[in-house]
Amino acid sequence: MTEEALLALHREIVSIPSMSHQEKPLVDFLERFLRERGVEVQRAGDNLFAVIGQGGPLLAFNTHLDTVPASPRWTRDPHKPEVLEGKVYGLGSNDAKASVAAMIAAFLRLKARESELRCRLMLTLVVEEETGGKSGKGAELLLSELRNRGLLPTAVLVGEPTELELAVAQKGLLILELRAEGRACHAAHGRALGAPNAVRRLARDLMAIDRVDLGEPHPTLGPVTVEPTIVSGGTARNMIPAEASCFIDVRTNPKPDQSETAALLQAVVQSELKVVSERLRPYEIDARHVLVRAAQRARPQASLFGSRGLSDLCFFATAGVPALKVGPGKTERSHTPDEFVLESEIVDGAHFYLDAALAYGELASREFPASAGARPQAQAS
């Protein structure tokens, strides 16, 4: 695939709307696109996957097809890509259709050079990443299908906009709900009757949570963060509220683990604090892992960092697959009005993925020569 064809593919997929839960037209297009180029692509629901290579460890290129909805502040049509001074404007152009196009280009180029591959290479394009995979129809469904077929990857490069820097760690998400109880009565008589006020109790507990020591900052991820988000309580302006609640967004690190973090917060509140979700767990890979070394060989100037944003990396990590998040584009452009990516970033991304796959095959086959299914271990929580 030429650079011109790569950029044309990127513009084409940006022009196909693919908001979460509405990705099927793009999935159908890419299935046809790959089949027309001799790729034996398969589906797991609306997720696509294909494998090339004759043997050795199995490396996956993974990224997502869905986008968030366009905000009202767009000044151009989000589904009509425009190229101005090397910038491609359009919804999802940066997050993550730049990775989609770059990974497809690298995959097709390596298919044409299959004899040089010393590993098997899988392309996985998934849906519903932007909604956290809550329906189970995205990466989790795909991973279940791959496991059933004996195709669980040895390692995975997860395509997200990182400026081709290497995210060797990713925060997890712990969602908590704090629920305080009071006693309803007329606001004028609350103090005289000694009626507990649920809002006041909630506020005191939130202040207590804010003072909890959750350990030293992680070297690349920084501190665990605890942020109250959605607050509700009370039914009338002149009534002491009987109930008040608040959702709490906790961005976790590998240590302390999520159950310990929840326990530390529960210990300081008087109200009920329950875990709503802990499925999106933090992760880190050893910087000496063969996947990281292969990526560094492909891009020696790349830095290692920790990512505060979530991605499907967490599902691969939970499945025991060592993972690294890296892709063209810049995360700060994601979900913004007039989102864009540089054409040069897309081109560089395709070169990086190709070089990383070749390097991984060489390094991994040297370290694990006896088993195509050998799965180098990574540190995960």
Side-chain angles (χ1 to χ4, degrees):
M1 175 178 270
T2 65
E3 289 184 2
E4 292 77 10
L6 161 61
L7 295 174
L9 172 63
H10 178 256
R11 292 192 298 272
E12 182 73 22
I13 63 177
V14 171
S15 73
I16 301 173
S18 59
M19 277 76 75
S20 299
H21 315 295
Q22 301 172 37
E23 304 97 334
K24 190 175 184 300
L26 179 56
V27 176
D28 292 342
F29 167 80
L30 287 173
E31 183 178 16
R32 290 193 304 272
F33 180 90
L34 291 166
R35 288 191 185 280
E36 288 168 359
R37 285 151 182 81
V39 177
E40 296 182 13
V41 63
Q42 301 181 69
R43 289 177 84 133
D46 278 336
N47 306 286
L48 299 178
F49 67 98
V51 181
I52 59 173
Q54 302 304 313
L58 177 59
L59 173 67
F61 290 163
N62 168 267
T63 190
H64 64 93
L65 301 175
D66 60 320
T67 72
V68 297
S71 81
R73 294 186 177 273
W74 275 77
T75 65
R76 43 177 51 87
D77 189 328
H79 303 300
K80 290 185 177 178
E82 294 182 56
V83 183
L84 297 172
E85 298 180 343
K87 297 178 180 179
V88 186
Y89 292 90
L91 182 62
S93 58
N94 179 75
D95 182 17
K97 292 182 178 182
S99 290
V100 174
M103 284 183 165
I104 289 174
F107 186 82
L108 292 175
R109 290 169 181 173
L110 287 165
K111 183 177 184 298
R113 299 167 56 180
E114 203 164 352
S115 62
E116 298 177 41
L117 268 177
R118 297 182 64 181
C119 65
R120 291 174 295 157
L121 180 63
M122 176 185 292
L123 175 68
T124 64
L125 305 173
V126 303
V127 299
E128 299 190 11
E129 186 273 348
E130 293 290 5
T131 56
K134 288 185 288 187
S135 72
K137 296 179 181 179
E140 288 177 298
L141 174 64
L142 174 67
L143 281 164
S144 177
E145 180 71 18
L146 296 180
R147 186 182 288 107
N148 291 340
R149 293 175 180 236
L151 287 174
L152 197 64
T154 306
V156 58
L157 292 174
V158 176
E160 292 282 349
T162 70
E163 299 180 271
L164 295 181
E165 309 295 356
L166 310 179
V168 294
Q170 177 178 281
K171 281 187 175 289
L173 173 61
L174 175 65
I175 303 174
L176 305 174
E177 185 181 17
L178 182 64
R179 298 190 66 87
E181 294 186 356
R183 189 169 79 240
C185 70
H186 197 294
H189 307 307
R191 285 297 178 96
L193 296 173
N197 187 310
V199 168
R200 186 174 285 113
R201 285 183 167 182
L202 184 76
R204 288 172 179 170
D205 281 342
L206 288 173
M207 294 303 295
I209 282 174
D210 217 29
R211 295 190 291 269
V212 175
D213 182 358
L214 294 174
E216 293 295 319
H218 186 275
T220 62
L221 293 171
V224 174
T225 60
V226 181
E227 295 292 348
T229 55
I230 301 174
V231 180
S232 61
T235 56
R237 180 200 57 77
N238 58 350
M239 181 186 293
I240 299 294
E243 293 182 340
S245 65
C246 179
F247 283 100
I248 300 173
D249 179 299
V250 185
R251 301 294 165 141
T252 57
N253 291 337
K255 293 181 181 179
D257 66 34
Q258 296 200 149
S259 58
E260 183 180 350
T261 298
L264 288 168
L265 298 175
Q266 286 169 335
V268 302
V269 300
Q270 297 178 17
S271 307
E272 177 189 14
L273 185 65
K274 68 177 183 179
V275 175
V276 176
S277 174
E278 56 182 346
R279 58 194 282 273
L280 304 177
R281 295 184 171 272
Y283 173 81
E284 61 182 342
I285 186 171
D286 193 304
R288 298 165 296 180
H289 191 278
V290 62
L291 180 64
V292 180
R293 289 188 283 115
Q296 289 176 311
R297 178 180 289 192
R299 190 170 176 83
Q301 70 270 37
S303 62
L304 307 184
F305 76 102
S307 173
R308 294 188 296 272
L310 295 169
S311 73
D312 282 338
L313 179 148
C314 62
F315 299 120
F316 285 91
T318 299
V321 180
L324 185 64
K325 182 162 67 177
V326 53
K330 189 172 183 178
T331 188
E332 289 81 4
R333 302 182 198 134
S334 302
H335 306 181
T336 60
D338 296 339
E339 177 185 356
F340 72 89
V341 68
L342 303 181
E343 289 184 310
S344 60
E345 291 173 329
I346 304 168
V347 170
D348 288 346
H351 288 306
F352 166 79
Y353 289 130
L354 185 149
D355 291 342
L358 291 174
Y360 179 79
E362 179 184 342
L363 295 174
S365 61
R366 185 187 305 161
E367 293 193 17
F368 305 95
S371 172
R375 190 163 281 110
Q377 295 300 304
Q379 184 179 355
S381 84

